[in-house]
Amino acid sequence: MSILFINSSPNHNGNTAKLARVLLAGHDYQTLDLADYKLYAYGQNFADDQLDDVMTEVAKADTIVIGSPVYWHNLNGLLRNFLDRQYGRVAPEFAGKRLFFLFQGQAPTPEILAAGEYTMSRFAGYYDMDYMGMAYNASQAKKLAKEV
């Protein structure tokens, strides 16, 4: 089983990555930092766009872990942009994979957590993935780790 952690935090070793280490303790995994790729906004077309590079890595994995810090009471912009770029595109790279979501922030409200979980569970369903759940702190990540 291959695991890909898609880190949407601009801080490669920040709290989102730390939460991934808790979830994925004891497992080998690859990290893809979205901040290292040029993913333009939905509708923009530039020759140096790297969405295809990201999707090549997604295609190689059996399990996808997506992590986002909470920015402005929601998913951060790097993740939102990645999700927006999937809009209207046939994405067989996702089909049949398991998806875990990490949503890390300073005391997010139940409404923020519910919105993040809703977005990611809907995303998983739309692309025929098995949504395994969300963790928002180390305790939750340890519980969810049993499913990895």
Side-chain angles (χ1 to χ4, degrees):
M1 175 178 68
S2 59
I3 301 170
L4 177 64
F5 167 50
I6 299 176
N7 184 13
S8 71
S9 173
N11 186 347
H12 292 32
N13 293 306
N15 291 328
T16 303
K18 288 177 187 173
L19 196 55
R21 286 193 291 274
V22 172
L23 176 73
L24 299 171
H27 297 278
D28 290 328
Y29 64 96
Q30 177 187 351
T31 298
L32 185 146
D33 292 296
L34 287 178
D36 293 343
Y37 291 83
K38 290 182 181 180
L39 299 181
Y40 293 103
Y42 179 75
Q44 292 183 314
N45 295 302
F46 295 103
D48 61 343
D49 185 85
Q50 295 179 295
L51 180 63
D52 289 342
D53 297 335
V54 172
M55 296 311 293
T56 295
E57 296 307 313
V58 168
K60 294 176 187 177
D62 299 311
T63 297
I64 306 293
V65 177
I66 295 178
S68 174
V70 176
Y71 285 1
W72 292 105
H73 317 290
N74 209 324
L75 307 173
N76 79 334
L78 289 170
L79 179 56
R80 175 57 60 194
N81 194 43
F82 173 74
L83 296 177
D84 286 352
R85 289 294 302 277
Q86 307 309 317
Y87 183 76
R89 137 182 218 282
V90 176
E93 299 92 342
F94 291 118
K97 298 181 189 306
R98 298 178 326 139
L99 175 65
F100 293 83
F101 179 49
L102 302 174
F103 200 24
Q104 182 283 130
Q106 291 292 358
T109 66
E111 295 83 4
I112 291 169
L113 295 173
E117 178 127 53
Y118 177 79
T119 297
M120 296 311 293
S121 66
R122 293 288 301 207
F123 177 78
Y126 187 78
Y127 288 103
D128 198 27
M129 300 175 80
D130 292 323
Y131 184 63
M132 304 304 292
M134 175 183 75
Y136 54 89
N137 61 33
S139 174
Q140 291 291 315
K142 286 178 185 175
K143 288 179 189 175
L144 191 57
K146 296 172 187 168
E147 303 300 321
V148 177

